[in-house]
Amino acid sequence: MLNKLKSNAGLGVIAGAAICTTAIFLVVSSSAQSQAPAISDASPQVENGRDIFMTAGGVGCAACHGIFGEGDVGIGPYARGVNRASIDAALESIAEMSFLRSSVRGQSIDDIAAYTEWLGNHQLVKTLAKRGRFIPDSVSVRPNTLIQLVISNASRFPRTFASDDMGIGEISVDGREVAEIIWTSPSEEGTFTLRCLDCRITDQQLSIQISNDAAPFTPVSGPPVEVANTPAPAVQTAADLDLIDRGRDIFLNAGEVGCTACHGSYAEGDVGIGPYNRGLDEDDIRLALANVDAMRFLQQQLDDEQIHQVAAYYGWLGDHQLFKTRMIRGQFFPNRIRVAPGAAIQLAITNRARSPGAFFSADMGIEPFVVQGLETVDFFWTAPRVEAEFTLRCADCATSDWLTIETTQAAR
């Protein structure tokens, strides 16, 4: 059955959830004074591997594994540091990757592996510029560490960033796009700042603290990391659902930026800033508000009742198994998922096209609904307690592709 948070709305729309995958690449060292258009600390093979990673099969490895191989899409796993053997094994054994076998071969696989291994040698640090704030506004790294700093501009308008002490000249990042800075932290401890020159709140900056007390970064090499699934939920009353719905509203809008800014649209921690929050309780939230610097501005904005409501939403999310799929050029990625009979799932569909797409499922009891271009819709469904296959279809895509949801006892 299809569960609803509100009696008149079974679909939750996260507008503008997708940030464009176009990226600006900039390389600096701790003493650099100029910028370069490519990742110049990398070999031509790594550069070529990055190009293939972004475009393979017409969709790119990034479609499932994230723009920077960090697994933040919620489809494919963390791929930073994976080697040639791991890529070969994935192409051979993962059904969703089978369409790549004819186009990604030989030298192309070597080049992708060179890029993913290069990623594994860099510590990924992310910040989001939203409504004039950096989120987070402070990060800490060890001296002499290779850093890949990603700045996401959540605004619809271009924003300009610069850092005198990091040797970074003015960088213009278009709305809904990202800039990537490759930087080697200096050998001595200190604090460096990246500023937004034209954000609506002035004097905002990202502080990068170079400290021997920072968590160590260990270069990654080997197979991708798998993410565990979540348990099935208890039955909720109408009052429970009203409480959950209020918590969701706060989650999306708290502090004018929402908890989503750091923790992801579904609290899955896919932004690369805040951790996975699905299933947290009130004590966890209060502890974070009291101790996490980036959350302190929310302490005076959330009262006890609102914290209780957010905790109800987190608990409800923790009871649902999250699945994600993307519609790219008329195809679902992935186009097949497996769930246990009786499991409650949250399925998020991202439409990567700029035009709207219509979706429906007769056997799941889902009436046609529209997902606007570059937006995401999620819905909640409880799988029947029998083994079977169900399909979600795109009604107006160029190809007649569909997503298969298999209920099976073999699902994890």
Side-chain angles (χ1 to χ4, degrees):
M1 61 176 293
L2 182 66
N3 293 325
K4 300 182 180 181
L5 279 184
K6 291 181 177 178
S7 59
N8 61 348
L11 302 174
V13 182
I14 307 298
I19 287 194
C20 296
T21 56
T22 303
I24 299 168
F25 296 95
L26 170 66
V27 185
V28 296
S29 69
S30 56
S31 60
Q33 296 298 322
S34 60
Q35 67 181 57
I39 45 177
S40 60
D41 69 332
S43 67
Q45 184 181 27
V46 170
E47 291 272 10
N48 191 53
R50 185 189 74 191
D51 291 341
I52 299 171
F53 185 88
M54 297 299 293
T55 61
V59 295
C61 310
C64 291
H65 296 282
I67 305 174
F68 305 106
E70 71 273 52
D72 69 344
V73 177
I75 300 175
Y78 186 95
R80 297 173 71 88
V82 298
N83 54 27
R84 168 70 195 250
S86 298
I87 297 172
D88 282 335
L91 285 168
E92 188 64 29
S93 62
I94 297 176
E96 289 81 5
M97 295 178 64
S98 61
F99 77 102
L100 292 172
R101 292 172 192 161
S102 61
S103 59
V104 179
R105 297 178 294 179
Q107 187 61 50
S108 294
I109 300 177
D110 285 338
D111 293 350
I112 294 173
Y115 176 57
T116 53
E117 289 179 340
W118 178 89
L119 288 173
N121 285 320
H122 289 73
Q123 181 175 355
L124 179 63
V125 176
K126 287 183 170 183
T127 188
L128 177 72
K130 185 171 184 178
R131 301 200 178 200
R133 296 187 178 95
F134 285 98
I135 307 173
D137 60 5
S138 179
V139 296
S140 183
V141 298
R142 289 282 187 99
N144 296 315
T145 302
L146 293 172
I147 304 297
Q148 184 180 30
L149 175 62
V150 174
I151 309 165
S152 297
N153 176 15
S155 171
R156 292 176 297 158
F157 307 103
R159 292 290 182 255
T160 306
F161 304 89
S163 173
D164 294 334
D165 49 17
M166 293 174 69
I168 300 172
E170 294 187 5
I171 311 165
S172 179
V173 185
D174 287 342
R176 307 289 188 182
E177 293 194 358
V178 298
E180 173 190 3
I181 298 170
I182 307 302
W183 185 64
T184 302
S185 62
S187 57
E188 297 182 356
E189 293 185 310
T191 300
F192 295 78
T193 57
L194 181 77
R195 294 171 293 112
C196 179
L197 304 184
D198 49 12
C199 287
R200 68 184 231 182
I201 301 178
T202 60
D203 300 325
Q204 293 296 295
Q205 62 186 32
L206 169 69
S207 294
I208 302 176
Q209 300 168 3
I210 312 302
S211 170
N212 288 313
D213 294 329
F217 167 69
T218 302
V220 181
S221 180
V225 177
E226 297 291 343
V227 179
N229 290 328
T230 53
V235 176
Q236 278 122 358
T237 66
D240 290 333
L241 294 177
D242 182 66
L243 182 68
I244 291 165
D245 192 59
R246 291 174 185 272
R248 176 174 175 141
D249 287 342
I250 297 167
F251 175 81
L252 293 174
N253 299 295
E256 295 188 341
V257 296
C259 309
T260 59
C262 291
H263 299 284
S265 298
Y266 307 106
E268 73 275 49
D270 72 344
V271 177
I273 298 174
Y276 183 98
N277 274 7
R278 298 171 73 91
L280 294 191
D281 59 24
E282 280 191 60
D283 289 342
D284 296 321
I285 297 171
R286 293 182 191 281
L287 188 64
L289 287 169
N291 294 286
V292 179
D293 288 341
M295 295 179 63
R296 291 189 189 279
F297 76 101
L298 291 172
Q299 281 185 296
Q300 303 303 316
Q301 300 187 38
L302 298 179
D303 59 29
D304 289 344
E305 180 59 24
Q306 289 174 313
I307 292 173
H308 178 64
Q309 292 165 350
V310 174
Y313 177 55
Y314 278 168
W316 183 83
L317 287 176
D319 286 336
H320 286 75
Q321 190 172 350
L322 176 64
F323 290 96
K324 293 182 177 181
T325 187
R326 287 184 166 191
M327 173 56 66
I328 304 174
R329 298 186 180 182
Q331 293 180 286
F332 286 98
F333 291 90
N335 64 1
R336 189 178 190 88
I337 61 176
R338 305 173 84 198
V339 303
I345 70 170
Q346 179 182 25
L347 178 61
I349 305 168
T350 298
N351 178 13
R352 286 284 301 276
R354 295 192 178 276
S355 56
F359 302 86
F360 72 97
S361 175
D363 48 16
M364 294 172 70
I366 300 174
E367 298 292 330
F369 61 92
V370 174
V371 184
Q372 298 298 322
L374 301 179
E375 289 192 1
T376 298
V377 160
D378 66 297
F379 65 85
F380 311 96
W381 184 68
T382 301
R385 295 189 176 277
V386 295
E387 293 190 327
E389 289 191 354
F390 301 83
T391 57
L392 180 76
R393 297 178 180 271
C394 179
D396 53 4
C397 292
T399 60
S400 57
D401 196 23
W402 62 85
L403 170 69
T404 299
I405 301 175
E406 178 187 3
T407 58
T408 170
Q409 298 289 350
R412 291 189 303 161

